[in-house]
Amino acid sequence: MENNKNKSTFEYCSNEVKTFKESFNCQQDKLHGSLVDNPLGFIIFYVFSVFFIAILFQLSTKNMKGKGKKNKRS
């Protein structure tokens, strides 16, 4: 079971010399493995991102409402 965790999906990840594409694939595979093993960090990041986007949306709609009222009075 320990070998499956350390083993990469791609055979070329164990090579010392890799192309940029191979290196990028290996890094993505490691990231995917860490997210599958411990998803708490991704969940926290996801929740923070949703709240951040919601706050930005609220701020942008407040400014639009104020501009709309000014234009209607003119």
Side-chain angles (χ1 to χ4, degrees):
M1 193 173 229
E2 189 73 30
N3 284 341
N4 287 341
K5 286 186 178 182
N6 292 336
K7 188 176 179 184
S8 179
T9 307
F10 307 110
E11 294 175 5
Y12 52 78
C13 287
S14 59
N15 297 344
E16 281 191 39
V17 178
K18 297 180 275 268
T19 64
F20 176 75
K21 197 174 200 179
E22 290 173 345
S23 176
F24 188 72
N25 283 343
C26 293
Q27 288 175 353
Q28 281 185 324
D29 189 45
K30 286 179 187 177
L31 178 65
H32 178 260
S34 67
L35 287 176
V36 169
D37 291 340
N38 187 8
L40 184 62
F42 178 73
I43 292 170
I44 291 171
F45 171 75
Y46 184 79
V47 169
F48 176 75
S49 299
V50 168
F51 280 124
F52 182 71
I53 291 171
I55 289 169
L56 288 178
F57 181 74
Q58 287 292 325
L59 290 174
S60 68
T61 56
K62 284 182 182 178
N63 290 339
M64 292 294 214
K65 288 178 184 176
K67 287 181 180 178
K69 289 179 182 178
K70 285 182 181 178
N71 290 340
K72 289 181 181 178
R73 283 191 229 162
S74 299

